[in-house]
Amino acid sequence: MFYADLSPYAYWNEGEEFTDVADGMRYVAFQPVYERLNIGWLEAGLSWTSGQAAQDFGRRLLGVVDAQRVNVMLGLHECDLCPTPLPDTHPWYTPRPGDLRASVGTGEIRVPGSRGVVFAAPSLIGHYVVDHGYLPPQQFIEAVLAFDPYGAWQPKYPGIRFPWIPEDAVLRHVDDE
Ligand SMILES: [Zn+2]
């Protein structure tokens, strides 16, 4: 699916769900009190900006992708920019050999921007930047460089690395349902 960079996020309006990265079974769900702006929802055939960002940007972005699991129940995001489609018979959970389309996990990431604004990107954005040369808007680049998911702020739950989780958000376990 395609959304223009910096347009209001509208993909999933049932709230935010952050999964504990270490555990995989615990999660926190809440209605966001921040504004969400789309970044990096690319699609083949539609224009997007390419170019070189600051040297450290790709590595830092991949660090955020590794550190978060947001809205993972939404299913697989396959890269539309890679040249060769994945055969239907290829299991979605095994790595893509050669130049077959990448599908870098599922889900999304959240990067805090200016006060009350969060950037919402698919987890594939790391692949878009590193492998396809996608250059996101400068304000997103600056937000990523300023955000350390393992930083000095104290996460409410160790495996859920995002600073703006509401105080009243409750940690749940998938077996609770
Ligand atoms: Zn790709």
Side-chain angles (χ1 to χ4, degrees):
M1 70 292 315
F2 172 80
Y3 300 106
D5 281 347
L6 304 176
S7 63
Y9 175 90
Y11 181 39
W12 181 252
N13 276 324
E14 304 300 311
E16 303 271 68
E17 188 171 303
F18 285 72
T19 300
D20 186 315
V21 173
D23 172 281
M25 301 293 278
R26 302 187 303 169
Y27 67 94
V28 169
F30 58 91
Q31 285 299 327
V33 293
Y34 42 80
E35 183 187 4
R36 292 170 291 181
L37 299 180
N38 288 311
I39 293 287
W41 298 86
L42 308 183
E43 195 174 303
L46 296 169
S47 70
W48 45 277
T49 309
S50 62
Q52 273 293 328
Q55 205 175 3
D56 216 20
F57 172 63
R59 187 181 64 79
R60 295 287 298 274
L61 179 61
L62 291 175
V64 178
V65 171
D66 278 345
Q68 292 183 346
R69 301 281 181 279
V70 182
N71 294 348
V72 289
M73 65 290 199
L74 299 179
L76 188 69
H77 293 162
E78 184 178 289
C79 179
D80 203 30
L81 310 179
C82 283
T84 312
L86 205 61
D88 287 343
T89 52
H90 191 92
W92 64 268
Y93 46 83
T94 61
R96 276 61 183 154
D99 60 357
L100 293 179
R101 280 185 183 169
S103 59
V104 183
T106 63
E108 307 174 14
I109 61 167
R110 294 290 182 271
V111 178
S114 57
R115 181 187 295 263
V117 174
V118 163
F119 297 107
S123 297
L124 264 177
I125 191 172
H127 167 71
Y128 291 151
V129 167
V130 171
D131 297 323
H132 292 293
Y134 163 58
L135 183 66
Q138 185 62 25
Q139 54 193 284
F140 176 73
I141 293 171
E142 287 168 12
V144 168
L145 293 175
F147 177 49
D148 178 0
Y150 303 92
W153 56 276
Q154 202 60 41
K156 192 172 179 193
Y157 310 106
I160 297 176
R161 302 189 184 100
F162 183 71
W164 294 353
I165 293 187
E167 278 303 310
D168 59 353
V170 177
L171 187 69
R172 296 198 175 90
H173 194 281
V174 291
D175 288 345
D176 294 345
E177 288 150 21

